Amino acid sequence: KAGVTQTPRYLIKTRGQQVTLSCSPISGHRSVSWYQQTPGQGLQFLFEYFSETQRNKGNFPGRFSGRQFSNSRSEMNVSTLELGDSALYLCASSLEAGGVTQYFGPGTRLTVL
Amino acid sequence: QQQVKQSPQSLIVQKGGISIINCAYENTAFDYFPWYQQFPGKGPALLIAIRPDVSEKKEGRFTISFNKSAKQFSLHIMDSQPGDSATYFCAASSGNEKLTFGTGTRLTIIP
């Protein structure tokens, strides 16, 4: 089985722009979670989607949003980018909602200039 | 509020030695405690996990020790190898809720 894939792998944006990241979960997995990883804060939970519905949300501003499609693929969007949004954005998939066994993708490295 | 505290932040161990990473949690409702291993340029990968009904779980050279009364759990890597050099994260969750991660430990195994 193919693992979790994320595109693009690298992105460079400027402040004020918006960005959309994509995640394809492992085939058959219906839950997708997004995390932000930074050296100072570690892995911070952004949100989880299951059956096209946001099931759980972390403590991030409304500029961070996401969605899930009927094929379980997910996208996250960050609007009005700030320098502090520079991070590795990780997507993880699991079979069911809140699945404790999560499989992570390689991440998208976002740099905001 | 950080619910899972991990230490040390970095660790250097000689090849063949034992690497020990510790985590402490606050939320007594946590009932699942996984450890993840992350290599540079890769996403975290599940290494080993434990539930509070057992005090120890071993998989190859990796062992989780769990102390429910102290609300602590630790990862032991026996016979540490250079290929074990990576960043390790502990995590915890309750029921089917989200994982809360520790801040990570960068492990370096030297020859």
Side-chain angles (χ1 to χ4, degrees):
Chain A
K1 259 185 187 176
V4 178
T5 58
Q6 293 186 244
T7 57
R9 292 293 312 277
Y10 303 92
L11 264 179
I12 299 176
K13 294 284 187 179
T14 56
R15 278 183 302 174
Q17 287 187 308
Q18 75 163 17
V19 67
T20 299
L21 313 181
S22 180
C23 171
S24 292
I26 292 171
S27 177
H29 284 196
R30 299 195 294 160
S31 171
V32 173
S33 297
W34 288 89
Y35 295 84
Q36 181 194 65
Q37 185 176 23
T38 58
Q41 298 296 318
L43 279 152
Q44 301 287 311
F45 173 78
L46 280 155
F47 28 65
E48 179 193 4
Y49 285 87
F50 178 77
S51 291
E52 302 177 64
T53 301
Q54 187 180 89
R55 184 178 171 275
N56 218 334
K57 189 178 191 311
N59 188 25
F60 278 82
R63 299 185 297 106
F64 293 81
S65 63
R67 59 178 175 167
Q68 187 180 34
F69 302 95
S70 58
N71 62 358
S72 295
R73 190 177 69 86
S74 177
E75 290 181 347
M76 69 162 280
N77 183 78
V78 188
S79 62
T80 320
L81 283 166
E82 300 178 358
L83 295 178
D85 297 334
S86 294
L88 180 67
Y89 290 88
L90 292 160
C91 162
S93 77
S94 57
L95 274 171
E96 297 295 336
V100 293
T101 304
Q102 295 193 359
Y103 298 87
F104 283 83
T108 293
R109 172 72 63 185
L110 172 65
T111 302
V112 182
L113 303 176
Chain B
Q1 181 188 9
Q2 184 186 356
Q3 295 190 52
V4 180
K5 295 183 179 180
Q6 183 172 347
S7 63
Q9 191 172 6
S10 62
L11 181 63
I12 299 174
V13 174
Q14 205 142 28
K15 179 182 173 183
I18 302 173
S19 304
I20 301 174
I21 304 170
N22 301 298
C23 282
Y25 62 97
E26 301 166 4
N27 186 349
T28 55
F30 285 151
D31 61 1
Y32 177 72
F33 303 89
W35 283 90
Y36 282 82
Q37 179 189 56
Q38 185 178 27
F39 293 106
K42 304 282 188 182
L46 179 64
L47 190 61
I48 186 173
I50 197 169
R51 291 197 180 271
D53 53 341
V54 296
S55 60
E56 186 175 282
K57 182 174 181 179
K58 184 176 180 179
E59 288 185 3
R61 295 185 294 110
F62 300 90
T63 300
I64 298 180
S65 296
F66 185 80
N67 186 329
K68 189 174 182 178
S69 60
K71 293 187 287 185
Q72 295 175 347
F73 59 110
S74 59
L75 176 70
H76 296 233
I77 305 175
M78 312 299 287
D79 188 26
S80 299
Q81 299 296 314
D84 297 330
S85 296
T87 299
Y88 293 81
F89 293 93
C90 63
S93 71
S94 164
N96 61 349
E97 295 305 313
K98 65 178 180 70
L99 282 170
T100 299
F101 284 85
T103 49
T105 296
R106 179 171 289 184
L107 174 65
T108 304
I109 308 299
I110 56 175

